[in-house]
Amino acid sequence: FIELANPIAAERRVMRRSLLVSALENLQYNLRYADRLAMFEIGRVYLPELGDGLLPCEDRRLSLVMVGPRQPQDFYATGQEEMDFFDLKGVIEVLLERLGFKADAIEYRPLQGVGTFGARCAEVVIAGEIVGLFGEVHPRVRAAFDLPAVRVNAAELRIKRLMRPHWRFDPLPPISPYPPVVEDLAFIVDEAVPMRAVENAIRAAGGALLTEVVLFDLYRGEPLPPGVKSLAFRLTYQSQEASLRDADVANLRERIIRRVEREVGGKLRG
């Protein structure tokens, strides 16, 4: 930490290394007046180990915090479910999409043992580079900031890694004159296997004939055994050269099933 020679208060004697400190302080203050908050802050953190030996590195970052009911309260008191890890992940996905990042360049890697967060935590990786992390704040951290016993979802992203050129050429994919073939495949995988790993295996096996992969269902529970989940994908096959025959689709399907089984241990759900 960078220590201050003349701090304005005892608890302000060092410069922050994370925006989440001020974000949680602001959250604690504002929760006295509202039970549903979605806040952001753009500011600097101070990292002496990355500085020039005299001055610290001043890294600009973005913090996001979401807490409270998923839907605003109404007269009938509906929508009591709390915002969670996946609501925050959705906000980050939309943010990166609007900034121009392609979905296949973005990865969300699960993390364990991060002091600020509990079991639900992931880092955001773009083109192989870590740009930040997000998750559900650990109960001990929440208690240290005198926050109520609610889910506190927070993220911190590095601004520099999110900056994009003001313009770029982005050619449209060719439009095929031949009809697509759409089918659904569901795979049973271990709970620890991320959806993106299954999707990557599907895309690698499908090649150029697989034009779209959409996850439309996640299922846990009976009749599946504990520790596994079912991921159902809607796949679109289409060729630029000819209409696909039943045999072509069958070959693609078998290739995808074998690849998913080999790479992530997934079994086709009957």
Side-chain angles (χ1 to χ4, degrees):
F1 288 92
I2 296 294
E3 295 191 12
L4 299 177
N6 55 343
I8 60 174
E11 64 272 18
R12 306 291 183 191
R13 64 184 184 276
V14 297
M15 304 293 284
R16 64 186 178 187
R17 295 181 59 91
S18 170
L19 288 188
L20 295 182
V21 175
S22 53
L24 295 180
E25 289 178 341
N26 292 333
L27 181 64
Q28 190 273 339
Y29 177 82
N30 285 282
L31 278 177
R32 292 183 289 179
Y33 307 102
D35 62 353
R36 182 177 187 270
L37 293 169
M39 310 188 308
F40 78 94
E41 178 187 359
I42 293 176
R44 288 181 170 85
V45 298
Y46 303 88
L47 308 173
E49 69 275 13
L50 300 180
D52 58 9
L54 179 62
L55 297 176
C57 169
E58 299 186 17
D59 192 20
R60 294 181 70 220
R61 295 187 181 179
L62 163 69
S63 70
L64 306 169
V65 178
M66 299 174 66
V67 64
R70 183 168 289 124
Q71 300 295 334
Q73 298 287 343
D74 58 23
F75 180 77
Y76 300 100
T78 59
Q80 297 296 316
E81 290 186 351
E82 289 183 280
M83 291 186 282
D84 60 16
F85 174 90
F86 297 101
D87 293 284
L88 180 58
K89 181 174 182 283
V91 170
I92 294 172
E93 287 175 340
V94 173
L95 170 65
L96 296 180
E97 177 187 355
R98 299 288 176 85
L99 290 174
F101 293 99
K102 297 293 185 182
D104 56 4
I106 305 169
E107 185 180 358
Y108 302 95
R109 297 176 184 169
L111 286 178
Q112 296 291 334
V114 179
T116 306
F117 300 101
R120 286 186 170 181
C121 178
E123 57 186 4
V124 183
V125 182
I126 300 178
E129 185 174 5
I130 300 172
V131 301
L133 75 166
F134 67 101
E136 189 174 314
V137 174
H138 196 284
R140 287 198 299 267
V141 176
R142 190 182 64 208
F145 282 87
D146 198 24
L147 292 167
V150 295
R151 283 179 169 173
V152 177
N153 311 286
E156 184 166 351
L157 305 174
R158 301 170 65 188
I159 293 288
K160 185 177 181 181
R161 300 297 181 251
L162 301 181
M163 296 175 65
R164 306 282 294 168
H166 292 293
W167 59 270
R168 68 174 183 175
F169 290 110
D170 195 5
L172 291 173
I175 299 174
S176 174
Y178 303 102
V181 176
V182 180
E183 72 171 359
D184 299 339
L185 294 179
F187 294 96
I188 300 173
V189 297
D190 287 340
E191 187 65 52
V193 175
M195 180 277 293
R196 183 55 60 85
V198 182
E199 181 183 342
N200 289 343
I202 292 172
R203 290 186 182 277
L209 294 179
L210 179 62
T211 58
E212 189 174 24
V213 181
V214 177
L215 175 73
F216 70 88
D217 184 62
L218 165 63
Y219 178 78
R220 301 179 180 93
E222 297 291 340
L224 300 180
V228 300
K229 60 188 174 185
S230 171
L231 299 173
F233 296 87
R234 181 154 294 136
L235 311 182
T236 303
Y237 313 121
Q238 194 170 28
S239 171
Q240 297 290 331
E241 301 173 356
S243 296
L244 294 175
R245 302 169 298 172
D246 290 344
D248 299 326
V249 175
N251 288 335
L252 268 173
R253 183 187 306 115
E254 282 302 314
R255 205 162 65 201
I256 290 170
I257 293 171
R258 290 197 303 270
R259 184 80 175 238
V260 171
E261 183 173 2
R262 184 173 68 251
E263 293 196 356
V264 299
K267 302 290 186 181
L268 185 68
R269 184 180 179 187

